[in-house]
Amino acid sequence: QKLAQSLEEFCSCVGEREYVKANKAYMDIVMGARKWQGDVPYLVEGNRNGPSVVQNVAERINKVNSNPVDEAGIRDHAVLLRRLMKVAQVVRPNEDPSRNCG
């Protein structure tokens, strides 16, 4: 349900040439509720392998927070959405540069 809503929002934003909003919708699609390593508190004391320990903690958290794109098995195809958005932006840029992405 949420994946379908995010895909609909993405397509609507691209159609309306709102590329910054489309990019945000794309990030919601591919990242979902997953945590960035920077969002995970550092739980290491005196360990020289700190960053790898933080990565392992983030990986464990992300296994609990599954992503609909992964569940649907379409992660590889989701990359195409961003490419399509970039092509649409080149062909039909928004007159307001602040609404274009990148």
Side-chain angles (χ1 to χ4, degrees):
Q1 180 84 18
K2 174 139 176 50
L3 177 60
Q5 289 173 339
S6 296
L7 284 168
E8 181 180 353
E9 180 182 356
F10 174 84
C11 292
S12 296
C13 290
V14 170
E16 296 166 1
R17 300 186 305 171
E18 294 287 343
Y19 300 111
V20 170
K21 289 181 183 178
N23 189 56
K24 183 186 179 316
Y26 169 79
M27 293 304 291
D28 289 342
I29 291 168
V30 297
M31 289 299 296
R34 298 175 68 94
K35 297 281 186 186
W36 289 91
Q37 287 185 19
D39 293 340
V40 178
Y42 283 88
L43 303 174
V44 291
E45 288 187 23
N47 189 339
R48 288 180 282 185
N49 298 324
S52 64
V53 172
V54 172
Q55 181 179 358
N56 290 338
V57 171
E59 287 173 358
R60 274 187 267 133
I61 290 172
N62 288 334
K63 284 181 183 175
V64 174
N65 295 331
S66 63
N67 187 319
V69 172
D70 293 331
E71 290 174 0
I74 59 171
R75 177 162 296 281
D76 294 338
H77 303 291
V79 174
L80 296 175
L81 292 175
R82 185 162 172 92
R83 290 180 184 163
L84 288 171
M85 180 186 73
K86 292 293 187 180
V87 169
Q89 183 174 297
V90 169
V91 174
R92 296 182 52 222
N94 195 311
E95 286 88 20
D96 182 357
S98 69
R99 295 183 178 190
N100 291 324
C101 184

